[in-house]
């Protein structure tokens, strides 16, 4: 059954098959240059870039079109320092107590540790929250649906939009993350899901060779 109020599906470009193939190839070539960055420059980035990347993320498919996400953008040095201090405390506990030997072995080729200077260096930290309650309009308290899936898709689109604008990103997930509600002045019933570090890469930034290897098509897909 169609909804009562509809609009024509007219916004999709009408490419021919050759154009579709060419665009799919080009998009893959562009996206395969995306790399997680751990070395950022402090150079400023226009706020408008971040705003429109967030707007792009906000077009993601989601449960019942409730759009159950909030993007808290941190730019102040004071809040960055506070976030770093709290995140590093959690990270030290992870590396020293919580992580299994197998997990630490998996991380070893990436060279990660509890020190997170990028949290103060990069110009933007975007803290991504999932909203269990909300709805489409301000002050609504309806049940939201498929929150994790919806926010995950939106985050992927945010990262893609930022990459397309020539910016580097890093996904950071300190655990537990409830300190982010207080830091970002968000309601306690919202779930902090990720910190996305955003900015230009440092001139001497490097990427672990281990991180460049991507599984081929026959390992990540099947045709039935």
């Amino acid at each position: 059954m169609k909804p009562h109020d509809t609009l024509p599906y007219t916004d999709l470009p009408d490419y021919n098959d050759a154009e579709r193939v060419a665009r799919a190839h080009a998009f893959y070539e562009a996206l395969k240059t995306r790399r997680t960055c751990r070395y950022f420059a402090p150079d400023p980035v226009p706020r408008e870039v971040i705003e429109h990347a967030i707007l792009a993320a906000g077009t993601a498919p989601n449960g019942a079109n409730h759009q159950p996400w909030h993007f808290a953008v941190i730019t102040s040095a004071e809040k960055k320092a506070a976030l770093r201090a709290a995140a590093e405390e959690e990270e030290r506990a992870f590396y020293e107590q919580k992580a299994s030997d197998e997990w630490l072995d998996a991380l070893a080729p990436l060279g990660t540790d509890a020190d997170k200077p990028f949290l103060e260096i990069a110009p933007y930290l975007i803290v991504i929250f999932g909203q269990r309650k909300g709805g489409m309009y301000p002050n609504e308290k309806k049940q939201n649906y498929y929150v994790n899936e919806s926010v995950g898709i939106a985050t992927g689109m945010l990262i893609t939009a930022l990459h397309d604008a020539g910016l580097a990103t890093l996904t950071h997930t300190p655990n537990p993350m409830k300190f982010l509600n207080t830091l970002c002045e968000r309601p306690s019933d919202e779930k902090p899901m990720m910190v996305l570090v955003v900015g230009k890469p440092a001139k001497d930034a490097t990427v672990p060779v281990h991180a460049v290897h991507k599984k081929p098509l026959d390992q990540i897909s099947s045709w039935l």
Side-chain angles (χ1 to χ4, degrees), residues 141-158:
K141 291 297 179 183
K142 295 180 180 179
Q143 178 68 42
N144 287 336
Y145 305 96
Y146 301 107
V147 175
N148 290 346
E149 295 86 347
S150 301
V151 176
I153 296 169
T155 300
M157 292 176 65
L158 175 60

Side-chain angles (χ1 to χ4, degrees), residues 109-127:
L110 299 176
T112 60
D113 56 30
D115 190 23
K116 310 296 180 186
F118 48 76
L119 292 173
E120 289 192 85
I121 296 172
Y124 294 100
L125 305 178
I126 305 176
V127 184

Side-chain angles (χ1 to χ4, degrees), residues 41-85:
D43 304 354
V45 171
R47 173 172 168 163
E48 188 175 3
V49 176
I50 307 303
E51 290 177 339
H52 278 77
I54 291 173
L55 285 170
T59 69
N62 61 93
N65 199 32
H66 283 192
Q67 302 157 58
W69 43 62
H70 183 86
F71 303 91
V73 184
I74 296 177
T75 60
S76 78
E78 181 181 5
K79 283 193 176 290
K80 286 182 190 177
L83 193 155
R84 179 184 178 183

Side-chain angles (χ1 to χ4, degrees), residues 10-16 20 23:
T10 58
D11 293 335
L12 197 66
D14 187 19
Y15 300 123
N16 61 42
R20 293 184 210 281
R23 292 182 67 88

Side-chain angles (χ1 to χ4, degrees), residues 34-39 91 94-95 102-118 170-173 205-214:
R34 188 212 60 81
R35 300 280 181 260
T36 293
C37 181
R38 294 181 174 83
Y39 307 98
E91 290 291 289
F94 169 78
Y95 281 96
E102 184 178 15
W103 197 344
L104 293 175
D105 286 345
L107 291 172
L110 299 176
T112 60
D113 56 30
D115 190 23
K116 310 296 180 186
F118 48 76
L170 167 74
T171 54
H172 180 53
T173 51
T206 58
V207 177
V209 172
H210 176 80
V212 177
H213 173 75
K214 302 300 178 186

